[in-house]
Amino acid sequence: MEVDIQEVLAAINTLYDSQLQDRQKHDQASKWLFQLQRTVQAWKVADQLLHAKRDVNSCFFAAQTLRTKIQLCFGELPVEAHSSLRASMLEHLGHITEHTYQGIATQLCVALADLALHMASWDDPIGDLIAQFGNQSSSGNLVPLLEVLIAMPEELHSRQLRLGLNRRKHLEEYFRVKVISIIELLDVAVSTEGATKESTHLKALRCLASWFNIHTEDWGMLTSTCLVNDILTVVRNPQVAPRLHEIATDCVCSAMIMLEAERIPTLAEVLFAGVLQLGDAYHMAVALEDINAITNYARIFSELGETLVEVMVEQPGQGMGSLQVLHLLVTCIGHHDWEVAEITFNFWYKLSEVLYRKNCDSVNEQFKPYVERLIEALYRHCQIEPDHDSILVQQDDFYEFRERVQELIKDVVFICGSRLCFLQMTQVVSSPDVAKNWNLMEAALFIMQSVAKNLIPEEDEVVPPILEGVLNQPDTVHLQVAFTSVQLLGELNEWVACHPAFLPHVLQFLTKRLHNKHLATVAAKALDAICQSCRDHIETHFDALLEVVSSLDGLSVSNEAVVGLLKGVAFILGRLPPQRIKTDMRRLCTPQINNLRKLIELLLSLTHHSASPTTAGSHHLTPTTTTTTTTTTTTTTLPPHPPLCRASQCSTNENNSCVCSVDFAHVTSRMQWPQCNGITSFSPRHTQPALNYLSEGTDRQTEAVQDVHTGKIVTSLIFENPVNLLFS
């Protein structure tokens, strides 16, 4: 079926008409064009639109259509049509200049790159393209040529391109063979046209960065060209165009990644020596406050470190194992912007892995000073703004950064030792300036918290002064300091177990924080950790813990923390003398059982209420009764609020339903009422499991189930007697 080209152009005009007010017409045009792109006729339509050159929008649509069809639907074309498609595509590329709309140029160049990868009958696409568009040709045009060559390695490794495994392997080998041709082309391009035209220079460096993904020893030929010196010259000058500096940085980083896989000593020596001389350039960028250039240098130094880390550990300070790169990385991590410091984290992770595998104390000693400086810099980066008046929230980027800092410190701290790190922060805390500024104090406690688990429990010099300072904090201390202090106590649980003299003070401190809604959950988690580790010393404090557990319903503690604390207390209970277990078990469970008992009583009252033909107040309910030989089933709709519901404390959930908190059930029972102001259905989310649990092993006389379709309660045989509860 032929497609009218005028109809296509009209749909394109409608799609891109910014003045069009009728959204329906816009959507119809978009849908119609999308369906067109999925047809076989789209190949011909796209080619016709590109030849017509009507306007930018129609050409962009055509170029995008061709790229999509070649990438995803190449199998639609018969083999005999491949050559004509190639000829047409090459013709379109010949019209691309530096003034062509970039979107159209990119789509066409990617389309031709995909065609070259798909078309097995095209023996030497790179050679043919260089011959047709290269500088040696009379019709030379580097603009489309470089764009296609940039796309080829990227498309080769793209998962969207549907290539078979054998075809992909063949292309990888072909690309490795063509690396020398690419080097020769780029050498000429940079030294001639690229020397005067920045756009050509940019494309040449982008092409080089893309082709570094092809790993081969032939890259050693770079040292005999102007390319390496050109790249280093660009990155050495932070005042060049930002885009050019970024692309040159990409080149350096891609080259170093390639050198990890391919050992090419001649290229590595030249490149690494040039990078190690970028210290002054970094400081110039800092002086200029050019964050883009600073970020580029941090990327280069980090990549160099990751490339050389194995050599540095095996031959520290010798040849390629020079530790000079560590000086550069420590300088970067000292920058005031934590996002710059974060760029270096991967190197420190990799260094810790290599040193851990090496497992040599003498080697660790050589890296120890750098890790100490790293931790000191991370302490500064973790400082919260002084005017922050609450606790950091998890959605905050800075909160996530601090979490990554903790992970990093836990990974590298073995190099310098946890005790030394703790002592390092102790000295910071003892400074008069830190005592006057809550954020400096909190950052030091935060770093201590990261390594507290790794301290030897028997240590008795460094921890006691810090612990005493934390336990003596005034009630007016900043909320974030209190929060981090509680976390620190939880991490020191094993140390407290070896120093039971601190246990009463720690328990008192944490119990008090339970009554602060901002600290309740973290305090409960810390108490759980203390209970687990101090079980042999906590018997005398068990009564106080039971009081805490019995009061949890009135505290703002998360369910997870409540369960953890209950497990911790139960763990201690199991260590008590046998004669105490029964009594204390009753004390531990009674508050929970009482809540369940009240829940049952409410269900009883509601069930009797629904069985009555009339109810008090303005609600009149008409039950539907079905009688059989064994049971009487009553189906009814309940009034809007149970007798004990605190209607004034109703809140709305994500389903726009009222969630009424019942007086007697803080956590285990919350009832949903779709509307608070009318006849509603009853949806007991937690009550049914409780009923089933309490009914097990007893003379079950009733069942209460909810119809999942209607939301109504269906009761069989109304409760006649209260269920016998445990301990009643």
Side-chain angles (χ1 to χ4, degrees):
M1 182 182 69
E2 290 293 326
V3 178
D4 185 358
I5 197 70
Q6 296 302 321
E7 187 179 359
V8 176
L9 288 170
I12 293 173
N13 289 335
T14 301
L15 179 66
Y16 289 102
D17 186 359
S18 58
Q19 305 297 323
L20 184 65
Q21 300 296 324
D22 191 341
R23 185 67 187 178
Q24 185 176 2
K25 287 185 178 181
H26 178 278
D27 293 341
Q28 287 175 348
S30 176
K31 184 177 180 180
W32 189 84
L33 290 170
F34 175 73
Q35 293 298 330
L36 173 64
Q37 286 182 318
R38 301 178 66 180
T39 65
V40 177
Q41 289 77 18
W43 294 94
K44 183 177 180 180
V45 170
D47 190 56
Q48 289 176 339
L49 289 173
L50 286 171
H51 277 104
K53 297 184 179 63
R54 175 76 172 270
D55 53 37
V56 171
N57 291 334
S58 62
C59 289
F60 178 78
F61 172 79
Q64 184 189 50
T65 300
L66 273 180
R67 191 216 61 168
T68 304
K69 299 295 284 186
I70 293 174
Q71 188 178 67
L72 304 177
C73 309
F74 190 69
E76 291 180 353
L77 284 180
V79 176
E80 55 270 19
H82 292 176
S83 296
S84 60
L85 175 62
R86 175 181 61 187
S88 180
M89 291 292 298
L90 290 173
E91 180 185 350
H92 294 316
L93 253 68
H95 297 131
I96 294 176
T97 68
E98 58 183 323
H99 303 296
T100 302
Y101 176 62
Q102 185 61 44
I104 297 173
T106 299
Q107 295 291 332
L108 284 176
C109 292
V110 172
L112 184 62
D114 288 342
L115 177 62
L117 298 180
H118 271 302
M119 193 172 168
S121 59
W122 195 354
D123 295 330
D124 186 15
I126 294 174
D128 292 345
L129 288 169
I130 292 176
Q132 182 170 345
F133 296 107
N135 287 329
Q136 306 301 323
S137 169
S138 58
S139 59
N141 187 354
L142 289 178
V143 176
L145 175 60
L146 292 176
E147 285 286 356
V148 174
L149 293 177
I150 289 168
M152 277 187 165
E154 296 172 353
E155 292 297 296
L156 177 63
H157 297 103
S158 170
R159 295 182 179 180
Q160 290 184 326
L161 197 65
R162 298 174 180 177
L163 294 175
L165 181 61
N166 291 335
R167 176 63 178 165
R168 204 176 289 271
K169 287 183 177 179
H170 170 76
L171 288 169
E172 288 174 350
E173 182 59 35
Y174 169 70
F175 277 28
R176 280 192 283 270
V177 172
K178 302 304 293 186
V179 162
I180 293 178
S181 299
I182 297 296
I183 294 174
E184 292 172 347
L185 171 70
L186 297 179
D187 183 30
V188 174
V190 169
S191 59
T192 56
E193 187 175 327
T196 57
K197 190 178 293 185
E198 185 176 301
S199 60
T200 302
H201 195 185
L202 269 172
K203 283 185 171 61
L205 294 188
R206 282 179 59 208
C207 185
L208 184 60
S210 178
W211 274 81
F212 274 135
N213 290 313
I214 307 302
H215 296 173
T216 173
E217 293 182 354
D218 290 340
W219 284 113
M221 180 181 171
L222 275 177
T223 55
S224 59
T225 69
C226 69
L227 293 174
V228 176
N229 184 61
D230 179 72
I231 297 169
L232 293 174
T233 300
V234 173
V235 297
R236 202 177 293 126
N237 182 8
Q239 294 179 295
V240 299
R243 181 61 177 159
L244 182 60
H245 198 271
E246 181 183 1
I247 296 301
T249 298
D250 292 340
C251 273
V252 174
C253 293
S254 298
M256 287 189 288
I257 292 173
M258 182 271 297
L259 288 171
E260 285 188 67
E262 300 290 339
R263 300 296 180 183
I264 310 175
T266 53
L267 177 60
E269 289 176 4
V270 174
L271 189 62
F272 295 165
V275 171
L276 290 175
Q277 295 174 5
L278 294 177
D280 291 339
Y282 170 81
H283 290 298
M284 182 185 298
V286 172
L288 295 171
E289 298 183 354
D290 186 345
I291 191 63
N292 293 323
I294 293 169
T295 299
N296 291 337
Y297 290 126
R299 287 175 52 205
I300 292 173
F301 299 153
S302 298
E303 204 61 64
L304 177 61
E306 291 182 51
T307 303
L308 296 178
V309 65
E310 298 275 0
V311 182
M312 284 192 290
V313 171
E314 292 299 327
Q315 305 171 4
Q318 302 176 23
M320 301 287 283
S322 170
L323 300 183
Q324 186 179 350
V325 66
L326 286 174
H327 290 280
L328 296 173
L329 286 164
V330 170
T331 301
C332 281
I333 208 166
H335 189 268
H336 65 82
D337 191 331
W338 57 265
E339 292 181 341
V340 174
E342 192 174 19
I343 294 172
T344 70
F345 280 14
N346 280 341
F347 163 76
W348 299 106
Y349 282 128
K350 194 168 183 178
L351 175 64
S352 69
E353 290 174 3
V354 176
L355 287 175
Y356 186 79
R357 290 198 305 267
K358 182 74 172 177
N359 193 23
C360 178
D361 291 339
S362 60
V363 174
N364 288 352
E365 280 294 323
Q366 300 196 50
F367 293 91
K368 182 177 176 180
Y370 300 101
V371 174
E372 290 178 10
R373 291 176 61 186
L374 167 68
I375 293 174
E376 183 180 349
L378 292 176
Y379 154 72
R380 291 194 299 271
H381 285 301
C382 286
Q383 294 170 8
I384 303 172
E385 291 295 330
D387 57 352
H388 190 84
D389 58 359
S390 60
I391 295 174
L392 286 175
V393 295
Q394 293 186 3
Q395 295 76 16
D396 194 325
D397 290 342
F398 189 55
Y399 178 95
E400 295 179 359
F401 167 74
R402 286 177 27 128
E403 281 197 326
R404 289 190 287 272
V405 167
Q406 277 196 328
E407 294 171 3
L408 177 60
I409 290 177
K410 289 176 181 178
D411 272 12
V412 304
V413 73
F414 76 92
I415 301 172
C416 64
S418 299
R419 185 181 182 279
L420 183 62
C421 176
F422 210 89
L423 181 60
Q424 191 177 357
M425 291 299 105
T426 300
Q427 294 170 349
V428 169
V429 169
S430 61
S431 170
D433 292 337
V434 172
K436 297 176 183 178
N437 297 277
W438 71 265
N439 59 324
L440 307 184
M441 173 72 71
E442 191 276 338
L445 295 174
F446 180 80
I447 300 297
M448 291 179 188
Q449 174 203 340
S450 305
V451 302
K453 281 285 187 189
N454 298 329
L455 289 172
I456 299 174
E458 292 76 18
E459 200 285 328
D460 58 1
E461 294 181 7
V462 179
V463 179
I466 295 298
L467 195 56
E468 290 174 1
V470 168
L471 295 176
N472 291 323
Q473 284 177 355
D475 295 338
T476 57
V477 71
H478 192 280
L479 197 57
Q480 183 66 53
V481 176
F483 187 89
T484 305
S485 299
V486 171
Q487 287 182 315
L488 175 60
L489 292 181
E491 294 294 308
L492 285 171
N493 59 329
E494 294 180 5
W495 187 92
V496 174
C498 286
H499 300 79
F502 284 93
L503 182 57
H505 307 289
V506 171
L507 290 175
Q508 182 182 5
F509 180 90
L510 295 177
T511 302
K512 188 174 182 180
R513 269 63 188 172
L514 283 171
H515 297 280
N516 185 316
K517 65 179 181 179
H518 301 291
L519 306 175
T521 295
V522 69
K525 291 179 179 179
L527 274 173
D528 175 26
I530 294 294
C531 290
Q532 297 281 356
S533 59
C534 302
R535 55 188 179 273
D536 295 329
H537 309 288
I538 208 168
E539 180 179 347
T540 56
H541 308 285
F542 190 72
D543 291 340
L545 287 174
L546 286 179
E547 292 295 328
V548 170
V549 171
S550 64
S551 65
L552 286 176
D553 283 353
L555 302 175
S556 301
V557 183
S558 69
N559 287 349
E560 179 188 0
V562 169
V563 171
L565 184 53
L566 285 172
K567 286 181 179 179
V569 174
F571 195 74
I572 297 170
L573 182 61
R575 311 276 294 191
L576 296 179
Q579 60 273 19
R580 284 198 58 182
I581 291 180
K582 181 177 180 180
T583 302
D584 289 332
M585 184 67 173
R586 184 188 301 272
R587 294 174 60 195
L588 178 62
C589 295
T590 295
Q592 316 306 322
I593 296 300
N594 285 340
N595 286 342
L596 291 174
R597 182 196 308 221
K598 291 178 181 179
L599 182 61
I600 297 299
E601 290 173 353
L602 175 64
L603 288 177
L604 282 172
S605 66
L606 292 174
T607 310
H608 282 299
H609 180 82
S610 63
S612 174
T614 59
T615 59
S618 60
H619 299 289
H620 181 77
L621 305 178
T622 305
T624 302
T625 304
T626 304
T627 305
T628 66
T629 56
T630 56
T631 64
T632 299
T633 302
T634 301
T635 304
T636 185
T637 304
L638 302 177
H641 292 290
L644 296 178
C645 177
R646 299 194 298 266
S648 62
Q649 298 189 24
C650 288
S651 60
T652 303
N653 65 10
E654 65 277 6
N655 296 322
N656 205 26
S657 299
C658 170
V659 181
C660 302
S661 300
V662 181
D663 283 325
F664 55 77
H666 173 65
V667 174
T668 58
S669 153
R670 289 173 70 84
M671 300 185 183
Q672 290 186 351
W673 303 83
Q675 298 293 333
C676 285
N677 55 357
I679 303 300
T680 68
S681 59
F682 179 69
S683 173
R685 292 188 296 163
H686 301 291
T687 57
Q688 185 60 38
L691 279 174
N692 292 340
Y693 172 76
L694 291 172
S695 301
E696 289 177 2
T698 65
D699 295 330
R700 187 185 307 187
Q701 300 181 28
T702 74
E703 290 183 348
V705 295
Q706 177 190 12
D707 186 325
V708 295
H709 300 292
T710 65
K712 297 179 180 179
I713 294 296
V714 180
T715 59
S716 301
L717 294 180
I718 305 303
F719 279 95
E720 296 178 358
N721 299 300
V723 177
N724 291 325
L725 299 176
L726 291 171
F727 307 136
S728 63

